[in-house]
Amino acid sequence: TAFSGRANDVKTPSLPYVLYDLGTTSLRLIQALVGAGQTVMVVESDAHDAVRIRDMLQRHTRDPHLTVETMIPDRCAGFICRGCHVTHAPPQTLVVVVDGPQILRDVPCPLGTVAMDVLRLGVIEVAFGGASQETRSTTIDLIQMLRCPYTISQRTDVFEGTVLQDLALAMIDRLMLVGSLPWELDEALVQAGFVQGLLKAQDHIGLEVAFGRRQTRGEHLLVADRMVREGRLGRSVGVGWYRYPGGGGAVIDPLIEDLIVEEARFAVIRPVAMTPQQAAEAVLFGVINTAANLVSEDVTQDDLDQLALHKLGLPNMHRRAAKVGSSGIRTKLERLANIDAVLWGPAENLTGFLGTAP
């Protein structure tokens, strides 16, 4: 896996890029495409959804190159969608699925389809599956036009960055069930070195994005899944882990605490005495542990540092880990494994992963 620097501009095609049924989760992608001079057509098949999405998008991006429609055009430069919608793509166009590489096993046109983690720009992960050389070249042109570094994943199940994200969210969910409060944990995560609290970041992305991934894999989180089912999707709807009155900044929502306590009681999960700083440390060392499990011939430590930065807002992950040392981290993980052995059980490769840190 290799990261590419920013590339030169490419010629603007006359056909639009179609973003199908992605809602406001594609806002950053829309802004990047429009900023590169591309025509973007957001397609929402439901007329009421189209009106709602048009209103939301116009609050952030007003550009004649952006339209919201209910019908798919006969031709487009690229069709970006979830895996369940690939059959809606016009013929002979690049199809980009945002779910992950596991979708590529069942797509009807593997030669023209790729998987890309492109909704939250930073580092783009791409898997080609059985795509043709022409499709691969067109995909790289698209990535370079977006001016993002990228990594080519050889995995066939899930992107490495997604693994880091989803396990971090699972750890946070578990920590809340044993007594951590979202806003205190978010603040402690920033103090521990994260650029932003992970729950506040989820509000910006939209909680339904990770929820959709979990549904596809048959996985569940007690607190986060209930949030989605109750319509707490994040900033786009005014309420998620925080409330956003009048579309403004985040404010604490005390109703969340009742929700967490109720879910913990239903699941018969006992509280664990833990300060917010200790909870943030549990997330940090859990992420490092997850990264150690992901190192392979195709994924280097530098790759994982980049993914941790852009997917979790955690800079210099490897260097931070090396300062604590494998022995210290392993001791902490063994204690955390008493809360959940699957989430915090020490990785077999932990010593090797940390032993060569700069």
Side-chain angles (χ1 to χ4, degrees):
T1 307
F3 283 84
S4 168
R6 297 186 172 187
N8 296 326
D9 290 336
V10 295
K11 292 183 179 180
T12 302
S14 57
L15 295 173
Y17 282 91
V18 171
L19 279 60
Y20 185 80
D21 199 29
L22 296 177
T24 57
T25 62
S26 58
L27 177 60
R28 291 189 183 183
L29 175 59
I30 291 169
Q31 291 173 328
L33 287 168
V34 170
Q38 303 302 305
T39 300
V40 178
M41 181 184 294
V42 174
V43 177
E44 296 288 335
S45 56
D46 183 271
H48 294 290
D49 285 343
V51 172
R52 178 176 58 85
I53 295 301
R54 183 182 294 112
D55 179 63
M56 290 181 180
L57 291 177
Q58 286 181 347
R59 297 176 195 172
H60 301 278
T61 304
R62 287 184 177 271
D63 192 286
H65 295 96
L66 170 63
T67 60
V68 180
E69 309 291 344
T70 58
M71 300 294 291
I72 300 169
D74 293 333
R75 299 176 61 204
C76 62
F79 190 84
I80 304 172
C81 65
R82 303 194 190 281
C84 58
H85 295 137
V86 293
T87 56
H88 297 306
Q92 298 180 333
T93 190
L94 168 67
V95 180
V96 176
V97 293
V98 299
D99 311 75
Q102 74 280 1
I103 301 297
L104 299 178
R105 294 192 292 262
D106 302 313
V107 293
C109 183
L111 292 176
T113 307
V114 300
M116 283 173 55
D117 181 12
V118 74
L119 293 183
R120 187 183 183 188
L121 298 178
V123 172
I124 294 176
E125 293 179 273
V126 57
F128 290 124
S132 68
Q133 189 56 52
E134 181 181 0
T135 297
R136 294 174 185 230
S137 297
T138 302
T139 301
I140 296 301
D141 287 344
L142 169 60
I143 295 172
Q144 292 177 335
M145 181 179 64
L146 295 172
R147 296 184 177 275
C148 288
Y150 68 92
T151 177
I152 299 173
S153 177
Q154 304 300 323
R155 293 180 69 115
T156 59
D157 53 351
V158 63
F159 287 127
E160 287 85 0
T162 302
V163 174
L164 288 176
Q165 284 179 314
D166 287 351
L167 278 174
L169 294 176
M171 293 171 205
I172 289 173
D173 209 83
R174 186 67 178 178
L175 290 167
M176 287 189 292
L177 288 166
V178 298
S180 295
L181 293 174
W183 46 90
E184 292 181 351
L185 179 51
D186 257 3
E187 183 178 349
L189 285 168
V190 174
Q191 293 172 355
F194 287 80
V195 174
Q196 184 181 37
L198 294 182
L199 296 176
K200 191 172 290 184
Q202 279 294 295
D203 274 357
H204 286 281
I205 297 168
L207 276 70
E208 72 275 19
V209 177
F211 176 76
R213 294 197 298 261
R214 292 193 296 273
Q215 291 291 101
T216 300
R217 298 195 301 264
E219 298 174 0
H220 307 281
L221 295 180
L222 293 179
V223 181
D225 288 5
R226 179 170 167 182
M227 295 274 290
V228 172
R229 293 189 178 101
E230 292 188 358
R232 292 174 170 270
L233 305 182
R235 184 162 192 161
S236 66
V237 298
V239 60
W241 294 107
Y242 299 84
R243 286 193 173 274
Y244 300 87
V251 298
I252 291 172
D253 184 355
L255 294 177
I256 299 280
E257 186 173 359
D258 294 335
L259 184 154
I260 294 169
V261 170
E262 189 173 66
E263 286 300 316
R265 186 174 69 251
F266 288 156
V268 196
I269 296 174
R270 296 180 178 180
V272 175
M274 184 180 293
T275 66
Q277 290 70 32
Q278 289 171 328
E281 187 180 78
V283 176
L284 173 62
F285 293 140
V287 168
I288 292 167
N289 192 50
T290 299
N293 272 323
L294 291 174
V295 172
S296 68
E297 292 182 2
D298 300 310
V299 184
T300 68
Q301 294 164 349
D302 287 342
D303 291 343
L304 291 165
D305 268 359
Q306 291 288 333
L307 290 172
L309 173 60
H310 291 286
K311 303 298 182 181
L312 295 174
L314 176 62
N316 303 315
M317 175 186 65
H318 202 220
R319 189 169 298 171
R320 292 174 188 276
K323 287 181 179 178
V324 181
S326 60
S327 177
I329 292 179
R330 184 176 295 276
T331 298
K332 294 177 183 295
L333 289 170
E334 287 171 348
R335 292 172 182 166
L336 289 165
N338 292 323
I339 298 175
D340 192 309
V342 174
L343 294 175
W344 284 285
E348 292 183 6
N349 189 41
L350 185 61
T351 301
F353 177 68
L354 298 178
T356 57

